[in-house]
Amino acid sequence: MCVPQGNPPQYTFHPWIHTVGQTEIRKLDGVNTVNNSTLILSSISIQDTGRYTCTVDNGVPGPDRQVGQTGYKDVDVQGLPVLDKIELPFAGEPNNSANIEIRFYSSPPIQSVQFINQSDSSKLINTSNNVIYMQPSNISMMFYEKRVTRLGHVAVLHFRNLTDTDFGNYTLQLSNDQGTVTMPFYLIVSGNLFHKISLSLSLSLSLSLSLSLSLYIYIYIYIYIYIYIYIYIYIYIYIYIYIYIYIYVYKHIGLRQDLITTGPWAVIRCCKNIYFGYFWSIKSRECLASCCF
């Protein structure tokens, strides 16, 4: 809430400004009365973290010779740890050292950082070969489509001397007062392109198969309906033309006596060439002549 004091007490309240560091995120309208302005945030998330500045004036410059006077309130929204984007998989070479570095932001402060080896579900601890530690680090985040930099941390898994058993699947587990998040990752041998491709495919295989199957099913149904409609229309036109030929010949030209007793299908068989040619083509006239008196 922004509550000014001044003389005269007629105030103009301007939109609140949400900033993170030096980056302006957005402008927000407050609920204004004669004497104050209240900013209401609903369904807040970590993107609402930052400084909210109220600007108000009564037309009279202050001691700083500025008409608009400001006040601010810092808001820290707490939630689950937020992981920075990383490029997977991690790679290393046998008999060499390697660092697994994953940056994250957490408010409230992080309580637990654990690396888990998925081959046996064991939690890694500091040994003579690997060291786990955490240190402050800047992290790039998106707040309402604006990129900002926040002070976060980087979780580091350091291998002093990689062996064959160190390569494989791992999970990083981060915990704070709000809960726990996990992120799987892979450590592969450097230059193993086939392995990289295989891992990439394994991550997207289920989604790709689902989309492919759905696409094929839709195409199959579309083609099936198209063929069905085409055959239906073809048969309809075929029968319609044949019936039209019979009625036209019967009423306007007359039929041979033997065809009258035989029925309309005899005329249709007799005049079937009419359907395949133009109505007044030579074959059609010959056909009519053969079917008529």
Side-chain angles (χ1 to χ4, degrees):
M1 179 180 290
C2 181
V3 183
Q5 293 180 351
N7 188 25
Q10 287 84 37
Y11 305 112
T12 299
F13 293 96
H14 301 274
W16 292 71
I17 299 177
H18 176 202
T19 58
V20 175
Q22 301 300 317
T23 304
E24 180 179 314
I25 305 301
R26 52 186 174 154
K27 289 180 176 159
L28 302 166
D29 292 327
V31 179
N32 302 330
T33 65
V34 175
N35 297 318
N36 62 69
S37 176
T38 303
L39 180 63
I40 300 175
L41 300 175
S42 58
S43 301
I44 61 173
S45 68
I46 199 168
Q47 296 184 74
D48 296 301
T49 294
R51 174 167 293 184
Y52 293 84
T53 301
C54 167
T55 303
V56 59
D57 74 78
N58 63 353
V60 178
D64 56 0
R65 298 185 179 181
Q66 298 294 321
V67 174
Q69 300 299 307
T70 61
Y72 65 87
K73 179 67 175 179
D74 290 326
V75 175
D76 181 22
V77 179
Q78 298 187 342
L80 293 172
V82 178
L83 291 159
D84 195 7
K85 291 183 179 179
I86 60 174
E87 184 177 349
L88 295 175
F90 294 101
E93 296 181 359
N95 303 318
N96 283 275
S97 62
N99 272 352
I100 307 297
E101 298 184 354
I102 301 176
R103 289 172 171 79
F104 64 91
Y105 172 82
S106 179
S107 179
I110 200 73
Q111 291 181 328
S112 172
V113 177
Q114 293 182 333
F115 288 93
I116 301 173
N117 190 332
Q118 293 299 329
S119 62
D120 56 6
S121 299
S122 62
K123 296 180 181 179
L124 300 182
I125 59 175
N126 291 334
T127 65
S128 59
N129 186 51
N130 53 263
V131 179
I132 300 170
Y133 61 93
M134 180 181 67
Q135 62 186 21
S137 175
N138 289 331
I139 179 173
S140 179
M141 305 176 67
M142 294 297 294
F143 279 26
Y144 295 100
E145 301 182 356
K146 298 289 184 67
R147 186 166 295 280
V148 300
T149 300
R150 301 287 290 168
L151 179 60
H153 290 84
V154 56
V156 182
L157 171 58
H158 173 71
F159 292 94
R160 291 189 176 94
N161 187 33
L162 286 172
T163 64
D164 290 340
T165 58
D166 293 324
F167 297 100
N169 302 341
Y170 293 85
T171 296
L172 171 63
Q173 182 175 286
L174 301 172
S175 302
N176 63 14
D177 284 342
Q178 301 297 310
T180 300
V181 296
T182 60
M183 188 195 74
F185 63 91
Y186 308 92
L187 176 60
I188 65 172
V189 179
S190 296
N192 194 341
L193 180 60
F194 176 77
H195 197 174
K196 290 183 181 180
I197 294 175
S198 300
L199 291 174
S200 178
L201 288 175
S202 67
L203 289 174
S204 59
L205 181 60
S206 59
L207 178 60
S208 298
L209 286 176
S210 177
L211 292 176
S212 299
L213 289 175
S214 299
L215 180 61
Y216 286 137
I217 291 173
Y218 286 134
I219 293 176
Y220 177 80
I221 293 175
Y222 175 80
I223 294 175
Y224 180 82
I225 294 175
Y226 177 81
I227 294 175
Y228 178 82
I229 294 175
Y230 177 81
I231 294 175
Y232 178 82
I233 294 175
Y234 180 85
I235 294 174
Y236 178 81
I237 295 175
Y238 191 83
I239 295 175
Y240 176 81
I241 292 176
Y242 275 9
I243 293 176
Y244 174 80
I245 292 170
Y246 172 75
I247 295 174
Y248 180 84
V249 173
Y250 184 82
K251 288 187 175 181
H252 298 281
I253 302 177
L255 297 172
R256 296 200 324 250
Q257 187 63 33
D258 61 321
L259 294 178
I260 294 176
T261 58
T262 305
W265 289 109
V267 179
I268 292 174
R269 287 193 299 272
C270 181
C271 296
K272 63 182 178 180
N273 289 330
I274 294 176
Y275 176 73
F276 299 101
Y278 294 101
F279 189 79
W280 294 112
S281 67
I282 294 176
K283 288 185 178 180
S284 298
R285 292 200 296 272
E286 290 176 354
C287 178
L288 284 174
S290 65
C291 293
C292 304
F293 287 110

